[in-house]
Amino acid sequence: MSASPTQTPLATQAPQASSASAAPFPPTAAHGAASAPAPAPSAVHPRAEPNNAFRASHSAAASAIPTASPSVPPSAAPSFEHAFATSGAPSGATGAPLQASGEWLQFSARLFGFQRLRDVPPHPQEAPLLQRLQVRSGSDWAELLPRLPAVLPQLLRLMRRENLSSRELVDLLSRDPSLVGELMRMANSAMYRPEREITDLASAVMVIGHEGLNQVVLRSTLRPIFNQDRQGRFSRQAGTLLWDLGERCSLAAMRLAPPGDERFAAYLAGLGAQVGMMALLRVLDALPVGQRPSLDREALHRQLLPMSLEWSARIVTHWGFPTRVAEALSQRRGQGAEVAVLAEIVREAHAVSLRHLMQPGLAPSQLGDWSAARQRAYAALEERFNGSGDAPATATTG
């Protein structure tokens, strides 16, 4: 998945069809080439502080940032749009809703096993299926996914307390042997370079710090949700793509967030943003062929992005994530400045993570007119996934 250092940046490419050999993912269907990605919006935001600022005060000020228009006009689909508008979708968004860019359409096509999406009328089964999906509750959606480890909701409740102690954390984490093993491995990794071997959980927590601990715990507990082994056709086709995007989105969101508690909320939002799409794949796996619409319609994929975010919001609400995380994912209007900032961070992180997943290894000069904050977030992903890749992306000043 490495990109050539001489590759033309997406932000300066004219929309055109790319050859199958140039596609960032291996071809999976003989439908032709994927469309070229669209430019991503820009953002200006300071880099994150060190992980000892986990409980520091945070700034809740950010400017509204316009979202770039899609490079390809959406197809006309009256029946589908009516189903989306009348079946429980969010009434509005904080700022501009998350738009389906060219990169998203490429990613979504690969996710469902197509090389390209088509401009065709809605399939007769499309609107009835979407209406059924939109009335599902958070618990209905969550039942489609593996059950969360009991330690995660307990940890989330604990992290919201002001008087959090390392002793309580150690007591809670020690109940999950797999987490203990992951924390010990991380504490002894080259990233932290301990003077001596770390052999107990309390010392590991001290070495990693709260922010690194949050990342390790959430990554370890949520990754099994995206395990596609022994699932149906669509889950197998997706492979690890949704996890790969979600992990990058969480790290990019943390980099783009203000210091303090907001960074933890941003990490949660980025990691949880893809669970709605994961649940959708499970629904499609279980559908009889006769009830399954054609899934290569471009207009459908454009709308699946905001719809799946709303489903993600319902799922994480059921899981006990902080309220502002769910509200930022659903992007409903009128939720206050704090949620508006977090929703914008999610949009920015989504663009950065898609670019890195689809085109890793780009130099700053190949990122077009991206802001310094976006470039730093992209560089952090490059270091994390194409560098040592051994430790969570702890924040740095600069």
Side-chain angles (χ1 to χ4, degrees), residues 163-195:
N163 58 343
L164 177 64
S165 71
S166 295
R167 174 69 177 274
E168 289 174 294
L169 274 177
V170 170
D171 288 345
L172 178 57
L173 294 170
S174 62
R175 302 174 193 173
D176 192 318
S178 63
L179 274 181
V180 172
E182 179 64 14
L183 290 167
M184 299 300 294
R185 186 192 71 80
M186 191 64 67
N188 285 293
S189 70
M191 173 67 182
Y192 294 100
R193 298 184 181 89
E195 295 179 359

Side-chain angles (χ1 to χ4, degrees), residues 5-59:
T6 60
Q7 188 169 4
T8 304
L10 286 175
T12 60
Q13 290 178 351
Q16 59 183 0
S18 59
S19 66
S21 61
F25 296 101
T28 53
H31 294 289
S35 57
S42 60
V44 178
H45 211 286
R47 293 180 77 178
E49 297 296 328
N51 60 8
N52 60 8
F54 175 75
R55 289 293 180 189
S57 300
H58 66 270
S59 167

Side-chain angles (χ1 to χ4, degrees), residues 185-339:
R185 186 192 71 80
M186 191 64 67
N188 285 293
S189 70
M191 173 67 182
Y192 294 100
R193 298 184 181 89
E195 295 179 359
R196 58 178 178 81
E197 183 182 4
I198 304 298
T199 58
D200 64 277
L201 184 57
S203 298
V205 170
M206 290 286 290
V207 167
I208 294 174
H210 278 166
E211 190 163 272
L213 176 66
N214 290 336
Q215 294 179 51
V216 172
V217 169
L218 288 166
R219 195 172 62 210
S220 299
T221 54
L222 287 183
R223 185 163 190 169
I225 299 295
F226 294 84
N227 187 348
Q228 309 287 8
D229 292 344
R230 297 179 299 279
Q231 299 298 326
R233 168 194 165 188
F234 294 99
S235 295
R236 287 196 304 270
Q237 172 64 45
T240 65
L241 284 180
L242 283 174
W243 170 255
D244 294 341
L245 180 61
E247 188 176 20
R248 283 166 172 77
C249 191
S250 65
L251 297 175
M254 188 185 68
R255 285 282 182 166
L256 292 163
D261 289 352
E262 195 67 14
R263 193 152 56 223
F264 180 47
Y267 187 85
L268 277 174
L271 204 57
Q274 305 305 322
V275 296
M277 188 65 78
M278 182 72 258
L280 173 62
L281 295 181
R282 301 291 174 89
V283 170
L284 295 175
D285 285 339
L287 274 182
V289 175
Q291 297 180 23
R292 190 183 298 158
S294 175
L295 296 171
D296 62 347
R297 192 170 78 88
E298 182 181 302
L300 172 62
H301 287 252
R302 288 187 179 279
Q303 295 296 340
L304 279 180
L305 179 57
M307 293 176 79
S308 66
L309 283 173
E310 168 63 19
W311 302 334
S312 295
R314 297 177 192 180
I315 292 171
V316 301
T317 297
H318 179 73
W319 284 346
F321 278 32
T323 301
R324 72 181 187 277
V325 170
E327 290 175 346
L329 289 177
S330 66
Q331 301 189 37
R332 291 192 177 107
R333 180 174 295 143
Q335 296 291 346
E338 188 178 56
V339 173

